[in-house]
Each structure stands twice: as C-alpha cells, then as structure tokens.
Short mmCIF file of all heavy atoms in Angstrom, two decimals:
data_model
loop_
_atom_site.label_atom_id
_atom_site.label_comp_id
_atom_site.label_asym_id
_atom_site.label_seq_id
_atom_site.Cartn_x
_atom_site.Cartn_y
_atom_site.Cartn_z
N GLU K 28 114.47 111.09 84.84
CA GLU K 28 115.02 110.27 85.95
C GLU K 28 114.04 109.09 86.25
O GLU K 28 114.50 108.17 86.92
CB GLU K 28 115.17 111.16 87.12
CG GLU K 28 116.31 112.27 86.94
CD GLU K 28 117.73 111.63 86.93
OE1 GLU K 28 117.88 110.55 87.38
OE2 GLU K 28 118.57 112.36 86.49
N TYR K 29 112.73 109.20 85.95
CA TYR K 29 111.80 108.23 86.27
C TYR K 29 111.31 107.42 85.10
O TYR K 29 110.26 106.75 85.26
CB TYR K 29 110.59 108.90 87.02
CG TYR K 29 111.04 109.47 88.40
CD1 TYR K 29 110.71 110.78 88.77
CD2 TYR K 29 111.82 108.62 89.20
CE1 TYR K 29 111.15 111.24 90.00
CE2 TYR K 29 112.29 109.16 90.43
CZ TYR K 29 111.91 110.48 90.90
OH TYR K 29 112.43 110.95 92.09
N CYS K 30 112.09 107.42 84.06
CA CYS K 30 111.75 106.59 82.85
C CYS K 30 111.50 105.04 83.25
O CYS K 30 110.64 104.58 82.91
CB CYS K 30 112.81 106.75 81.84
SG CYS K 30 112.62 105.69 80.38
N THR K 31 112.53 104.59 83.96
CA THR K 31 112.45 103.19 84.44
C THR K 31 111.22 102.89 85.26
O THR K 31 110.50 101.87 85.08
CB THR K 31 113.66 102.80 85.33
OG1 THR K 31 114.84 103.05 84.53
CG2 THR K 31 113.56 101.40 85.71
N ALA K 32 110.82 103.83 86.10
CA ALA K 32 109.69 103.65 87.00
C ALA K 32 108.37 103.54 86.09
O ALA K 32 107.55 102.69 86.36
CB ALA K 32 109.54 104.84 87.98
N TRP K 33 108.19 104.52 85.21
CA TRP K 33 106.91 104.45 84.46
C TRP K 33 106.86 103.26 83.64
O TRP K 33 105.80 102.70 83.40
CB TRP K 33 106.76 105.72 83.66
CG TRP K 33 106.98 106.98 84.47
CD1 TRP K 33 107.65 108.14 84.10
CD2 TRP K 33 106.56 107.31 85.78
NE1 TRP K 33 107.57 109.09 85.05
CE2 TRP K 33 106.90 108.59 86.07
CE3 TRP K 33 105.74 106.55 86.57
CZ2 TRP K 33 106.58 109.17 87.26
CZ3 TRP K 33 105.38 107.16 87.97
CH2 TRP K 33 105.94 108.44 88.24
N LYS K 34 107.93 102.79 82.95
CA LYS K 34 107.90 101.57 82.24
C LYS K 34 107.48 100.32 83.00
O LYS K 34 106.57 99.55 82.68
CB LYS K 34 109.25 101.29 81.56
CG LYS K 34 109.65 102.17 80.34
CD LYS K 34 110.92 101.84 79.82
CE LYS K 34 111.39 102.73 78.72
NZ LYS K 34 112.73 102.36 78.18
N VAL K 35 108.20 100.26 84.16
CA VAL K 35 107.91 99.08 85.04
C VAL K 35 106.49 99.09 85.57
O VAL K 35 105.71 98.00 85.46
CB VAL K 35 108.83 99.13 86.28
CG1 VAL K 35 108.43 98.15 87.36
CG2 VAL K 35 110.22 98.83 85.89
N VAL K 36 105.85 100.28 85.93
CA VAL K 36 104.58 100.46 86.47
C VAL K 36 103.52 100.05 85.46
O VAL K 36 102.51 99.41 85.65
CB VAL K 36 104.28 101.74 87.16
CG1 VAL K 36 102.81 101.91 87.53
CG2 VAL K 36 105.25 101.90 88.35
N TYR K 37 103.74 100.63 84.19
CA TYR K 37 102.82 100.52 83.13
C TYR K 37 102.69 99.09 82.73
O TYR K 37 101.61 98.49 82.41
CB TYR K 37 103.13 101.39 81.93
CG TYR K 37 102.04 101.59 80.93
CD1 TYR K 37 101.15 102.72 81.12
CD2 TYR K 37 101.93 100.73 79.87
CE1 TYR K 37 100.15 102.88 80.19
CE2 TYR K 37 100.92 100.92 78.97
CZ TYR K 37 99.96 101.99 79.11
OH TYR K 37 99.03 102.23 78.20
N GLU K 38 103.79 98.42 82.61
CA GLU K 38 103.93 97.01 82.20
C GLU K 38 103.30 96.12 83.27
O GLU K 38 102.58 95.17 82.93
CB GLU K 38 105.34 96.59 81.93
CG GLU K 38 105.90 97.20 80.64
CD GLU K 38 107.39 97.04 80.58
OE1 GLU K 38 108.02 96.31 81.44
OE2 GLU K 38 107.95 97.63 79.57
N HIS K 39 103.44 96.52 84.55
CA HIS K 39 102.83 95.71 85.65
C HIS K 39 101.26 95.85 85.57
O HIS K 39 100.50 94.94 85.75
CB HIS K 39 103.29 96.24 86.98
CG HIS K 39 103.01 95.41 88.12
ND1 HIS K 39 103.60 94.26 88.43
CD2 HIS K 39 101.98 95.57 89.13
CE1 HIS K 39 103.15 93.74 89.52
NE2 HIS K 39 102.14 94.45 89.98
N PHE K 40 100.88 97.11 85.24
CA PHE K 40 99.39 97.39 85.07
C PHE K 40 98.76 96.59 83.88
O PHE K 40 97.64 96.05 83.94
CB PHE K 40 99.25 98.84 84.76
CG PHE K 40 98.21 99.48 85.57
CD1 PHE K 40 98.52 100.14 86.77
CD2 PHE K 40 96.82 99.58 85.27
CE1 PHE K 40 97.63 100.70 87.63
CE2 PHE K 40 95.92 100.23 85.94
CZ PHE K 40 96.30 100.73 87.19
N GLN K 41 99.62 96.43 82.74
CA GLN K 41 99.09 95.75 81.53
C GLN K 41 98.76 94.30 81.90
O GLN K 41 97.87 93.78 81.17
CB GLN K 41 100.07 95.86 80.50
CG GLN K 41 100.13 97.25 79.80
CD GLN K 41 101.13 97.38 78.76
OE1 GLN K 41 102.32 96.92 78.86
NE2 GLN K 41 100.75 97.94 77.65
N ARG K 42 99.36 93.67 82.86
CA ARG K 42 99.05 92.27 83.15
C ARG K 42 97.63 92.10 83.65
O ARG K 42 97.02 91.04 83.52
CB ARG K 42 100.07 91.77 84.24
CG ARG K 42 101.49 91.88 83.87
CD ARG K 42 102.44 91.49 84.99
NE ARG K 42 103.82 91.79 84.79
CZ ARG K 42 104.79 91.74 85.76
NH1 ARG K 42 104.41 91.31 86.98
NH2 ARG K 42 105.93 92.19 85.52
N TYR K 43 97.06 93.17 84.16
CA TYR K 43 95.70 93.10 84.69
C TYR K 43 94.75 94.01 83.81
O TYR K 43 93.57 94.14 84.28
CB TYR K 43 95.72 93.66 86.18
CG TYR K 43 96.65 92.85 87.04
CD1 TYR K 43 97.98 93.24 87.23
CD2 TYR K 43 96.07 91.82 87.83
CE1 TYR K 43 98.77 92.44 88.08
CE2 TYR K 43 96.95 91.13 88.72
CZ TYR K 43 98.24 91.40 88.78
OH TYR K 43 99.10 90.67 89.70
N GLU K 44 95.11 94.45 82.74
CA GLU K 44 94.41 95.41 81.99
C GLU K 44 93.02 94.82 81.61
O GLU K 44 91.97 95.53 81.80
CB GLU K 44 95.22 95.80 80.68
CG GLU K 44 94.34 96.86 79.84
CD GLU K 44 95.17 97.21 78.63
OE1 GLU K 44 96.34 96.82 78.44
OE2 GLU K 44 94.63 98.09 77.93
N GLY K 45 93.04 93.59 81.11
CA GLY K 45 91.68 93.04 80.68
C GLY K 45 90.73 92.98 81.86
O GLY K 45 89.61 93.38 81.72
N GLU K 46 91.26 92.43 82.89
CA GLU K 46 90.37 92.25 84.15
C GLU K 46 89.92 93.50 84.67
O GLU K 46 88.75 93.68 85.08
CB GLU K 46 91.10 91.34 85.14
CG GLU K 46 90.19 91.01 86.34
CD GLU K 46 90.88 90.09 87.24
OE1 GLU K 46 91.96 89.55 86.98
OE2 GLU K 46 90.35 89.93 88.53
N LEU K 47 90.84 94.55 84.72
CA LEU K 47 90.51 95.84 85.21
C LEU K 47 89.41 96.52 84.39
O LEU K 47 88.36 97.03 84.91
CB LEU K 47 91.69 96.78 85.27
CG LEU K 47 92.69 96.54 86.30
CD1 LEU K 47 94.04 97.16 85.99
CD2 LEU K 47 92.22 97.11 87.72
N GLN K 48 89.55 96.39 83.05
CA GLN K 48 88.55 96.93 82.19
C GLN K 48 87.21 96.31 82.33
O GLN K 48 86.15 96.94 82.34
CB GLN K 48 89.01 96.95 80.71
CG GLN K 48 90.18 97.84 80.47
CD GLN K 48 90.48 97.98 79.01
OE1 GLN K 48 89.53 97.79 78.08
NE2 GLN K 48 91.66 98.34 78.59
N GLN K 49 87.19 94.88 82.45
CA GLN K 49 85.95 94.19 82.57
C GLN K 49 85.17 94.73 83.90
O GLN K 49 84.06 94.88 83.93
CB GLN K 49 86.23 92.74 82.73
CG GLN K 49 86.50 92.14 81.33
CD GLN K 49 86.78 90.62 81.47
OE1 GLN K 49 86.57 90.08 82.56
NE2 GLN K 49 87.19 90.01 80.39
N ARG K 50 86.01 94.92 85.03
CA ARG K 50 85.44 95.28 86.22
C ARG K 50 84.80 96.69 86.16
O ARG K 50 83.69 96.95 86.76
CB ARG K 50 86.39 95.09 87.40
CG ARG K 50 86.70 93.68 87.77
CD ARG K 50 87.80 93.57 88.81
NE ARG K 50 87.35 94.11 90.18
CZ ARG K 50 88.12 94.15 91.19
NH1 ARG K 50 89.44 93.67 91.08
NH2 ARG K 50 87.71 94.69 92.31
N ILE K 51 85.57 97.54 85.49
CA ILE K 51 85.09 98.88 85.31
C ILE K 51 83.75 98.88 84.56
O ILE K 51 82.74 99.58 84.86
CB ILE K 51 86.12 99.82 84.69
CG1 ILE K 51 87.24 100.07 85.65
CG2 ILE K 51 85.61 101.16 84.27
CD1 ILE K 51 88.41 100.72 85.07
N ARG K 52 83.70 98.16 83.48
CA ARG K 52 82.54 98.18 82.55
C ARG K 52 81.39 97.57 83.31
O ARG K 52 80.23 97.96 83.07
CB ARG K 52 82.92 97.42 81.25
CG ARG K 52 83.86 98.21 80.35
CD ARG K 52 83.87 97.53 78.97
NE ARG K 52 84.80 98.32 78.18
CZ ARG K 52 86.03 97.93 77.85
NH1 ARG K 52 86.45 96.82 78.24
NH2 ARG K 52 86.85 98.78 77.01
N ARG K 53 81.47 96.46 84.05
CA ARG K 53 80.46 95.89 84.87
C ARG K 53 79.89 96.89 85.90
O ARG K 53 78.68 97.15 86.03
CB ARG K 53 81.05 94.71 85.68
CG ARG K 53 81.28 93.41 84.83
CD ARG K 53 81.47 92.22 85.79
NE ARG K 53 82.25 91.14 85.12
CZ ARG K 53 83.52 90.90 85.45
NH1 ARG K 53 84.09 91.59 86.37
NH2 ARG K 53 84.10 89.93 84.84
#
C-alpha cells in the first residue's frame, strides 16, 4: 500500500545524496 510513498521519498533523498554523504564523512 506504501509502494508509492517509498519511491517518492527515496527519490527525494537521492537529490541530496552526494551532499549528505559528504557531510557525514566530514
């Protein structure tokens, strides 16, 4: 029932993936 939700959220997250990873590594 939440297939749409997880796709939308994961794709939204991916837009910031590089910056998030950089901040975590710093």
Side-chain angles (χ1 to χ4, degrees):
E28 294 288 341
Y29 294 131
C30 174
T31 300
W33 307 139
K34 285 181 180 178
V35 167
V36 175
Y37 197 89
E38 289 169 3
H39 194 74
F40 229 90
Q41 284 180 314
R42 298 174 196 170
Y43 300 86
E44 181 178 1
E46 187 174 342
L47 283 164
Q48 290 193 23
Q49 284 181 8
R50 288 176 66 180
I51 290 171
R52 291 193 178 103
R53 287 193 204 107

